[in-house]
Amino acid sequence: MIPGNIRNVVLVGHGGAGKTSLAEALMFVSGSTSRVGRVEDGNTVTDFEPEEIERGSSTTLALAPFEWKGHKINLIDTPGYADFVGDVRAALRAADLALFVVSGVDGIEVQTEMIWSMAAEEGLARAIFINKLDRERSDYRKVLAELKDRFGIGIAPVELPIGSEDNLRGVAGIVSHHAFVYDGDPKGTETDIPDDVRAEAEDVSTSLIEAVVERDEALMERYFEGELPSDAEVVAGLRAGIVAGEIFPVLCGSATKLIGIDRLAELLVRDAPSPLDRAAPPVVGDTGIDLSADGPTVAYVFKTMSDPYVGRISLFRVYSGTIKVDAQLENPRTGTSGRMHNLFKIRGKDHDDVEEVVAGDIAAVAKLENTVSGDTLRSPGSDVAVA
C-alpha cells in the first residue's frame, strides 16, 4: 500500500456514543468482517479484553483496519472515559484525522470537548459522525446546533438524516445532491433527495459553498459576481479545508442499523488527509523527517502492551522509510538497537504477519524489551527523534 492511499483515523468521543459499534459497522460494510459484533454481547473486534467485555466499554485503544476502494484505513478505537485518557492522547499522536462520534440522543458531553482541545493541540484534522439517530429522543438538528455553538463556524454538515428515530431510513448528501436509502442493505441505494428535506438541503448546500469559497480568493470573487463553484471545486475546497483543520464535516446515521456507514467510508477515502498531507511531527535533531517510503526510517511507538502468547508488543507509526522484517533499528532514548522480528498488523486481538511496513502505515512488533510508548525507532546513524 502506498502512503497516499493510507488513512489513519482515530475514533474519539464520550463513552457510550457508539465508537466501538461504528468500528464494527465500518469493518462489516467494507467486507473486512463477516458479522457485526455487539457491545452488549461482548463479541466486538476492538473490545476483547475481559474487563472491557464485563464493563461493556473500551478501556484501551485497539486497531480495526479495513480497506475501501483501494485505500487502507487504520481505524483506532479509543476509550471514552477520563480514566483512560492516556490511550486517547497516544492514539491522537498516531493519527491524521480525529473522527468524533457524538450521540444523537445525548449530544456533546464533557469528554468530547476535552478531546476536541487535545486534537486541536496536535494540529489534527477533525470530522464528526452524529450517531444513534435511530434511537428514541434523538435530535440531529439540536446536536448540530450544539456543535456549532461549542466548536465554531468550521462545523459544516455534509449530510442530513432522512426520517428520524425508528423511521430513520437514509441520509441526504449535500455534496452529491443525492439521497442514499437503506432497506436492509448496508450499502445505500442512491436516489433523489426527498421533498421533505430538499429545502433544508439547499440551505445547507449554500452554507457549505460559502465555507469553501471563503478559503479561496478566486472562488470568492467569482461567487460575489454570481457564479457558483462547480461540484468538483466544492469537493476540492472541502478537502483542503479538512486537511487544513479549518472545516469540520458533520456526517450522520446509525452504526447499529448500518445507515450512512458506506457514506462515511467514502468521505474518509475522498477527504481525509493521507500521511503525505500532514506536516512532519516535531523532532529533536538536525536532519528532520522525509515523509516518504524511500528515506531513512523514522517510526514512533505510540503504545506498548502485553500479549499472553508473544509477550511485549509495540504498536508504531512509520513516518519515514520502509521497515522490513529483521531490520535493525536504533532507539535513541536508550542508545540500544533491536531487530524487527515478526512484524505484523493487528485487528483487535488477531495478528497477521507482514514482510514490510511503509511510511504512513501502522503496525506492531514483538519483543522489543527496551522500548516503551513515546520512543523513536530509527535507522542507525540518524540523529532524529520524534519529540
Side-chain angles (χ1 to χ4, degrees):
M1 187 66 65
I2 62 174
N5 285 358
I6 295 171
R7 304 288 183 267
N8 295 310
V9 179
V10 56
L11 288 176
V12 292
H14 198 85
K19 298 181 295 299
T20 297
S21 296
L22 185 57
E24 286 290 317
L26 284 164
M27 286 186 288
F28 176 76
V29 171
S30 68
S32 297
T33 57
S34 59
R35 61 162 178 80
V36 183
R38 287 166 35 94
V39 172
E40 299 88 341
D41 295 337
N43 61 356
T44 64
V45 169
T46 57
D47 282 358
F48 56 86
E49 296 287 355
E51 182 182 358
E52 293 177 313
I53 295 171
E54 182 179 348
R55 291 170 58 104
S57 62
S58 304
T59 61
T60 185
L61 67 82
L63 296 176
F66 65 93
E67 293 192 5
W68 189 265
K69 294 189 175 178
H71 291 69
K72 181 187 180 187
I73 295 93
N74 287 314
L75 202 63
I76 311 174
D77 186 20
T78 65
Y81 293 102
D83 292 349
F84 313 107
V85 72
D87 267 25
V88 177
R89 188 172 291 278
L92 290 172
R93 293 295 307 273
D96 299 314
L97 176 82
L99 178 58
F100 285 77
V101 185
V102 177
S103 167
V105 178
D106 300 314
I108 298 174
E109 298 175 88
V110 61
Q111 194 75 352
T112 302
E113 292 189 88
M114 185 177 75
I115 300 171
W116 187 273
S117 297
M118 291 166 57
E121 290 171 7
E122 292 287 343
L124 270 185
R126 281 150 278 167
I128 299 156
F129 185 82
I130 301 179
N131 191 27
K132 298 188 175 183
L133 290 178
D134 60 312
R135 305 290 180 86
E136 186 178 349
R137 297 184 298 105
S138 62
D139 191 332
Y140 168 85
R141 287 154 191 86
K142 178 182 177 182
V143 175
L144 181 62
E146 288 181 6
L147 290 167
K148 290 180 177 180
D149 180 61
R150 305 285 180 87
F151 303 138
I153 60 174
I155 295 295
V158 296
E159 290 178 349
L160 294 172
I162 299 173
S164 62
E165 299 184 344
D166 59 353
N167 290 317
L168 181 74
R169 61 186 187 279
V171 296
I174 304 304
V175 177
S176 68
H177 309 295
H178 285 87
F180 298 87
V181 177
Y182 302 81
D183 293 318
D185 188 339
K187 294 186 179 179
T189 300
E190 188 170 350
T191 185
D192 293 335
I193 294 177
D195 292 340
D196 57 346
V197 296
R198 186 181 302 278
E200 185 180 8
E202 290 174 355
D203 288 343
V204 173
S205 178
T206 299
S207 298
L208 181 61
I209 289 171
E210 290 174 350
V212 167
V213 301
E214 282 177 2
R215 301 188 67 260
D216 187 308
E217 290 186 7
L219 287 181
M220 182 178 289
E221 185 175 339
R222 286 166 43 198
Y223 185 68
F224 283 147
E225 292 174 352
E227 182 181 349
L228 292 175
S230 67
D231 288 348
E233 288 172 327
V234 172
V235 169
L238 174 63
R239 185 179 193 278
I242 293 170
V243 170
E246 297 172 357
I247 295 178
F248 314 117
V250 181
L251 300 93
C252 60
S254 167
T256 55
K257 294 292 181 66
L258 303 179
I259 293 176
I261 306 305
D262 58 333
R263 309 318 306 160
L264 172 59
E266 287 286 338
L267 179 128
L268 294 178
V269 164
R270 188 191 69 197
D271 296 334
S274 80
L276 301 178
D277 292 315
R278 289 204 65 200
V283 298
V284 177
D286 297 327
T287 57
I289 294 180
D290 173 18
L291 298 177
S292 76
D294 301 320
T297 295
V298 180
Y300 176 77
V301 178
F302 64 92
K303 174 73 174 178
T304 56
M305 56 191 186
S306 179
D307 184 277
Y309 300 104
V310 300
R312 188 183 191 86
I313 293 177
S314 301
L315 303 182
F316 60 88
R317 154 85 183 258
V318 183
Y319 281 107
S320 176
T322 298
I323 299 178
K324 297 181 182 293
V325 169
D326 288 333
Q328 192 84 15
L329 296 180
E330 179 181 85
N331 183 333
R333 181 185 61 83
T334 63
T336 61
S337 62
R339 193 171 296 280
M340 306 292 280
H341 291 302
N342 191 25
L343 288 175
F344 51 92
K345 303 293 179 69
I346 293 181
R347 177 180 289 115
K349 62 183 177 182
D350 295 330
H351 303 172
D352 292 317
D353 291 343
V354 295
E355 294 298 315
E356 65 178 28
V357 188
V358 301
D361 209 351
I362 289 173
V365 63
K367 299 179 180 178
L368 289 183
E369 299 301 334
N370 295 318
T371 301
V372 298
S373 299
D375 280 352
T376 297
L377 301 173
R378 68 189 188 189
S379 298
S382 171
D383 71 343
V384 173
V386 178

